C-alpha cells in the first residue's frame, strides 16, 4: 500500500460565512485544475470550512453558506455562538447559553488571563484537546436544550445552529489527529 503525503492548507479568510465557503470553493477549483495539469499535485481529498453561527438574525449569510457548502460537499466545523466556545470546552463541560460572542470572550478571560480574540491559544489548550473533544461530543448528545425537534440523527450542523452553545470543531480536530503521526 502506498501512502499519500499529508498536506494541510490553512487559509485565514475570516468574515461572513458565505465568504469563507466561497473562498474554499475557489481554492478547491484552483487546486483541481492544478492537479489535472501536474503529476506532483493532487486534488484535495477534503475541504473544511470553519465559521461561527453567532446571532442568526444578524448573520444573513449563514444559511446560504451552509447550503452552498453541503451542495459542494465541503466539510463544516461550526461554533455557536463563536470559536471561543470550542476553546472553553478545553477547560470544562458547558451547556450554558451565551447571549452573544462577547459573553463567550469574557468567559475565556477567566480561563486564559489576558485573552483577546486574535490571541494564539493553541499552546495554552493543546494538552486539553482530548477533554475538549469529549466535552463537545457529550454536549451534542446530552445538551439540555436537545428536543425531539433536534433529533440525534439530525445532521450535526443543523443541531449546532439550534443549540447555543454548541460546536462541531471537534470533528475537524479528530480528523486531523487521525491523520497525524504525532497525535496530541
Amino acid at each position: 500500500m502506498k501512502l499519500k503525503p499529508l498536506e494541510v492548507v490553512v487559509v485565514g479568510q475570516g468574515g461572513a460565512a458565505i465568504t469563507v465557503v466561497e473562498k474554499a470553493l475557489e481554492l478547491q477549483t484552483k487546486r483541481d485544475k492544478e492537479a489535472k495539469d501536474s503529476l506532483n499535485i493532487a486534488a484535495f481529498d477534503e475541504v473544511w470550512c470553519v465559521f461561527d453561527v453567532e446571532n442568526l438574525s444578524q448573520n444573513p449569510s449563514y444559511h446560504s453558506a451552509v447550503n452552498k457548502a453541503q451542495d459542494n460537499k465541503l466539510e463544516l466545523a461550526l461554533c455557536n455562538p463563536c470559536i471561543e466556545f470550542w476553546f472553553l470546552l478545553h477547560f470544562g463541560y458547558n451547556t450554558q447559553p451565551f447571549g452573544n460572542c462577547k459573553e463567550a470572550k469574557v468567559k475565556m478571560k477567566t480561563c486564559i488571563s489576558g485573552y483577546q480574540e486574535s490571541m494564539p491559544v493553541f499552546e495554552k489548550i493543546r494538552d486539553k484537546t482530548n477533554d475538549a473533544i469529549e466535552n463537545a461530543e457529550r454536549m451534542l448528545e446530552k445538551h439540555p436544550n436537545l428536543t425531539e425537534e433536534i433529533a440525534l440523527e439530525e445532521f450535526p450542523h443543523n443541531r449546532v445552529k439550534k443549540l447555543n452553545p454548541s460546536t462541531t470543531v471537534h470533528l475537524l480536530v479528530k480528523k486531523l489527529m487521525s491523520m497525524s503521526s504525532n497525535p496530541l
Side-chain angles (χ1 to χ4, degrees):
M1 173 169 85
K2 185 176 179 184
L3 296 175
K4 287 197 234 176
L6 174 63
E7 178 184 9
V8 177
V9 178
V10 178
V11 178
Q13 183 60 38
I18 194 67
T19 304
V20 172
V21 171
E22 288 172 350
K23 182 65 175 180
L25 288 170
E26 175 186 317
L27 292 170
Q28 183 179 40
T29 300
K30 181 181 176 196
R31 184 57 172 255
D32 287 348
K33 184 176 190 255
E34 290 171 350
K36 285 180 184 175
D37 298 336
S38 171
L39 296 174
N40 299 321
I41 297 174
F44 294 131
D45 291 328
E46 295 180 10
V47 175
W48 286 77
C49 296
V50 181
F51 53 86
D52 298 341
V53 173
E54 297 190 45
N55 183 342
L56 283 177
S57 64
Q58 296 174 5
N59 192 354
S61 77
Y62 174 83
H63 296 291
S64 58
V66 169
N67 290 337
K68 191 169 195 169
Q70 290 174 335
D71 289 348
N72 287 282
K73 297 182 179 26
L74 301 179
E75 302 291 340
L76 295 171
L78 308 176
C79 285
N80 186 357
C82 54
I83 192 67
E84 282 76 10
F85 177 64
W86 165 246
F87 299 156
L88 286 168
L89 288 174
H90 289 74
F91 300 95
Y93 180 71
N94 177 46
T95 59
Q96 181 178 347
F98 294 98
N100 53 43
C101 289
K102 185 177 180 179
E103 287 181 14
K105 292 171 186 175
V106 167
K107 178 85 172 168
M108 270 303 298
K109 290 179 182 185
T110 67
C111 298
I112 298 177
S113 179
Y115 175 79
Q116 295 178 9
E117 186 173 336
S118 59
M119 177 183 210
V121 297
F122 181 70
E123 289 306 321
K124 296 180 187 305
I125 63 176
R126 177 185 190 160
D127 63 335
K128 300 174 176 96
T129 300
N130 287 323
D131 294 336
I133 291 168
E134 287 177 25
N135 288 332
E137 289 173 342
R138 178 177 164 210
M139 176 267 317
L140 280 178
E141 290 173 8
K142 301 184 186 306
H143 199 292
N145 295 327
L146 191 61
T147 65
E148 288 183 25
E149 175 189 336
I150 310 170
L152 276 175
E153 301 79 36
E154 188 171 350
F155 188 64
H157 307 306
N158 291 334
R159 294 172 70 204
V160 168
K161 172 181 76 173
K162 296 173 184 175
L163 296 175
N164 175 359
S166 58
T167 186
T168 56
V169 170
H170 66 289
L171 301 175
L172 171 58
V173 172
K174 284 175 66 172
K175 181 71 168 189
L176 291 169
M177 288 172 64
S178 75
M179 295 185 303
S180 173
S181 60
N182 239 352
L184 298 174

